[in-house]
């Protein structure tokens, strides 16, 4: 029995990239042998075991054969005679098909180290095109390793196009698409994920609402980059650079979907795009089964982001109604996330990436002024609806005082 460290841990160790998870492949062993040593079985489709003490995953070396559609459509074969090379060739990319034995010796039958040195994401074998999930995985790796200068090999893009145009992507479950996408959104260059999907023609299949934004013009005095799709990815890049949370990044991604629905005779203006965008944002979230809290932020950013840009000119009553729609009293964290997303929209524009966005701090200051109005201060003689009216008037008054104080300090 021989044990090898494989996959991401070896790849990232060679690259000098931080990693946490370790996966192992076991060659020349049977399930019974591992069970006898105290390993715990967890695999349903093929034998995967947890180490008795470390709880790390150990999988028996296996081969696979396409037997149906989708990424579940495979038959697996494990046996003591399955070699390390046979196990590695079924993996997606050469950089993921490297193994290391217990003495630290590297086994690299498919030249993954060479591709690491040349910063190339390349498929291991033509069998790559049998698994539609690999389109998303490669795009996610492109987003992760863009910092190091990696690009997807042309021949791998060609196979990804083949998968995108074959109908196989329809076999991916909404949960799996969202899992890969949410992970990609948290990478340092999430925009590269969507650029890669567009390059291989998968974006129009999986995210048609985003794909149609490319080529739609905007007014250059507000958007020097002009193209709506380019702006969307520039704004997403701002969210990544600021290391904002997943809900903010997703909201930024979908904030301008309504611009694809602007009547052509109105272009390059986009009147009421924030209202039009609610339908595609909601449909996208429902299709991918996006978690509720992420969907709610995406919807409110889509609908209200122009109000945030105009914040410094708004009256106190208008600001209060905006804060109400953001659920300021119960969800102050949503107000902060909303401000972050709007800031990314404002800065995700060609040549304006370093612009100041005082509206974000202004909104948070107004929120704090509102939240400082205490229920305990309500006069005891007030009853029923009078209480609510009093609180609203006091909150608007607090915003007015904050606005006045802010003007004095500017």
């Amino acid at each position: 029995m021989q044990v090898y460290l494989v996959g991401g841990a070896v790849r990232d160790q060679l690259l000098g990239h931080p990693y946490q998870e370790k996966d192992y492949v076991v060659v020349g062993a049977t399930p019974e042998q591992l069970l006898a040593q105290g390993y715990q079985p967890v695999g349903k489709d093929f034998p995967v075991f947890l180490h008795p003490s470390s709880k790390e995953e150990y999988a028996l070396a296996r081969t696979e054969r396409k037997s149906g559609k989708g990424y579940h459509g495979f038959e697996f074969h494990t046996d003591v005679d399955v070699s390390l090379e046979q196990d590695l060739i079924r993996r997606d990319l050469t950089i993921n098909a490297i193994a290391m034995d217990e003495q630290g010796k590297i086994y690299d039958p498919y030249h993954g180290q060479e591709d690491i040195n040349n910063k190339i994401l390349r498929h291991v074998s033509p069998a790559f095109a049998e698994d539609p999930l690999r389109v998303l995985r490669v795009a996610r790796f492109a987003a992760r390793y863009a910092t190091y200068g990696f690009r997807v090999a042309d021949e791998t893009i060609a196979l990804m196009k083949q998968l995108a145009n074959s109908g196989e992507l329809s076999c991916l479950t909404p949960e799996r698409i969202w899992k890969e996408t949410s992970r990609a959104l948290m990478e340092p260059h999430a925009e590269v994920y969507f650029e890669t999907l567009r390059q291989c023609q998968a974006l129009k299949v999986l995210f048609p609402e985003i794909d149609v934004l490319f080529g739609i013009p905007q007014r250059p005095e507000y958007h020097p980059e002009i193209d709506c799709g380019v702006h969307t990815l520039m704004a997403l890049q701002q969210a990544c650079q600021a290391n904002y949370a997943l809900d903010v990044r997703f909201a930024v991604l979908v904030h301008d979907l309504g611009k694809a629905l602007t009547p052509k005779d109105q272009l390059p203006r986009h009147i009421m795009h924030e209202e039009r965008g609610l339908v595609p944002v909601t449909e996208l979230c429902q299709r991918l089964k996006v978690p509720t809290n992420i969907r709610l932020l995406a919807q409110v950013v889509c609908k209200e982001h122009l109000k945030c840009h105009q914040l410094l000119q708004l009256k106190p009553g208008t600001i209060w109604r905006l804060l109400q729609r953001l659920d300021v009293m119960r969800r102050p964290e949503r107000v902060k996330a909303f401000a972050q997303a709007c800031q990314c929209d404002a800065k995700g524009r060609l040549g304006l990436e370093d612009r100041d966005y005082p509206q974000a701090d202004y909104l948070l200051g107004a929120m704090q002024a509102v939240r400082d109005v205490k229920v305990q201060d309500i006069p005891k003689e007030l009853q029923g609806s009078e209480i609510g009216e009093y609180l609203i008037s006091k909150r608007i008054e607090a915003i007015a005082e904050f606005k006045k104080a802010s003007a004095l300090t500017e």
Side-chain angles (χ1 to χ4, degrees):
M1 183 174 95
Q2 294 171 295
V3 176
Y4 300 89
L5 182 67
V6 292
V10 180
R11 173 198 67 224
D12 288 343
Q13 196 174 133
L14 292 171
L15 191 56
H17 186 79
Y19 65 93
Q20 292 180 326
E21 292 185 5
K22 293 182 179 181
D23 294 309
Y24 297 86
V25 68
V26 182
V27 177
T30 64
E32 292 74 21
Q33 285 175 293
L34 291 181
L35 289 170
Q37 294 182 34
Y39 286 78
Q40 300 172 335
V42 293
K44 294 180 181 178
D45 299 320
F46 45 82
V48 177
F49 299 83
L50 296 182
H51 190 278
S53 56
S54 71
K55 304 303 178 185
E56 292 170 332
E57 287 194 359
Y58 286 69
L60 291 182
R62 62 187 185 269
T63 59
E64 61 187 33
R65 182 175 66 85
K66 184 77 167 173
S67 60
K69 284 188 173 293
Y71 63 98
H72 284 310
F74 292 90
E75 291 179 0
F76 297 94
H77 168 71
T78 61
D79 195 87
V80 292
D81 61 357
V82 175
S83 68
L84 177 64
E85 288 74 13
Q86 287 175 305
D87 182 272
L88 293 176
I89 200 172
R90 66 177 178 76
R91 298 173 185 269
D92 49 8
L93 299 174
T94 59
I95 67 169
N96 296 332
I98 309 172
M100 180 187 294
D101 66 18
E102 293 171 295
Q103 287 72 46
K105 182 181 177 181
I106 295 292
Y107 295 81
D108 182 18
Y110 306 108
H111 312 294
Q113 292 179 98
E114 183 179 337
D115 283 341
I116 286 176
N117 291 335
N118 293 326
K119 308 293 188 281
I120 297 290
L121 301 173
R122 191 193 315 276
H123 61 282
V124 178
S125 77
F128 175 96
E130 295 176 352
D131 185 354
L133 184 62
R134 288 176 170 176
V135 172
L136 295 177
R137 279 176 52 83
V138 172
R140 178 163 60 81
F141 283 129
R144 177 181 298 176
Y145 298 116
T147 305
Y148 297 97
F150 274 79
R151 66 174 185 86
V152 183
D154 293 342
E155 59 268 33
T156 303
I157 287 288
L159 285 182
M160 292 165 72
K161 280 184 183 177
Q162 180 182 318
L163 271 167
N165 295 318
S166 70
E168 280 267 321
L169 293 179
S170 64
C171 298
L172 296 173
T173 65
E175 292 85 357
R176 198 60 205 242
I177 296 171
W178 173 248
K179 181 179 179 180
E180 289 295 323
T181 301
S182 61
R183 292 178 69 185
L185 280 168
M186 294 309 296
E187 297 292 357
H189 284 279
E191 76 281 357
V192 174
Y193 175 77
F194 298 97
E195 289 170 355
T196 304
L197 291 180
R198 184 165 180 256
Q199 187 182 0
C200 72
Q201 300 174 5
L203 191 66
K204 64 182 178 183
V205 179
L206 298 171
F207 303 95
E209 301 91 344
I210 298 170
D211 186 68
V212 293
L213 290 173
F214 290 90
I216 294 177
Q218 303 174 95
R219 293 170 66 181
E221 61 266 38
Y222 297 113
H223 286 275
E225 73 287 346
I226 298 175
D227 189 287
C228 289
V230 172
H231 161 63
T232 292
L233 296 190
M234 289 181 72
L236 178 58
Q237 188 177 40
Q238 289 291 322
C240 295
Q241 288 177 359
N243 199 27
Y244 288 147
L246 174 61
D247 59 346
V248 175
R249 298 187 192 206
F250 181 75
V252 170
L253 175 70
V254 301
H255 79 281
D256 266 352
L257 293 190
K259 289 183 176 177
L261 303 176
T262 299
K264 289 186 178 179
D265 61 354
Q266 292 183 14
L267 294 175
R269 302 176 72 197
H270 291 277
I271 302 166
M272 300 295 289
H273 75 274
E274 64 275 21
E275 293 285 346
R276 290 192 182 100
L278 280 176
V279 171
V281 168
T282 302
E283 289 177 348
L284 174 59
C285 290
Q286 289 174 341
R287 187 174 72 248
L288 295 187
K289 300 183 179 179
V290 173
T292 301
N293 65 308
I294 296 177
R295 171 180 59 81
L296 290 174
L297 179 66
Q299 289 171 322
V300 77
V301 169
C302 172
K303 186 178 180 181
E304 307 286 359
H305 63 275
L306 291 189
K307 281 283 192 294
C308 192
H309 298 337
Q310 301 159 356
L311 198 68
L312 303 183
Q313 288 76 47
L314 298 183
K315 294 179 180 179
T318 307
I319 295 174
W320 160 245
R321 287 187 290 275
L322 171 62
L323 287 169
Q324 267 190 309
R325 295 193 294 273
L326 294 171
D327 203 4
V328 62
M329 303 311 295
R330 296 189 305 165
R331 301 280 188 274
E333 71 281 358
R334 185 177 296 160
V335 179
K336 182 178 179 180
F338 171 80
Q340 291 173 341
C342 294
Q343 182 178 47
C344 294
D345 172 30
K347 296 174 73 170
R349 309 178 190 211
L350 189 64
L352 301 175
E353 296 88 347
D354 297 322
R355 74 192 302 188
D356 289 331
Y357 191 72
Q359 292 92 328
D361 286 338
Y362 192 88
L363 184 64
L364 297 182
M367 174 182 73
Q368 191 57 54
V370 161
R371 289 178 62 82
D372 284 343
V373 176
K374 303 299 182 186
V375 177
Q376 298 92 307
D377 298 332
I378 298 172
K380 291 184 171 53
E381 64 269 17
L382 296 183
Q383 299 294 324
S385 62
E386 294 176 331
I387 296 174
E389 292 170 4
Y390 175 84
L391 280 173
I392 289 173
S393 67
K394 282 296 182 182
R395 286 164 179 164
I396 293 174
E397 188 180 307
I399 294 173
E401 290 175 359
F402 166 75
K403 186 177 178 71
K404 182 178 179 181
S406 297
L408 291 173
T409 57
E410 284 176 359

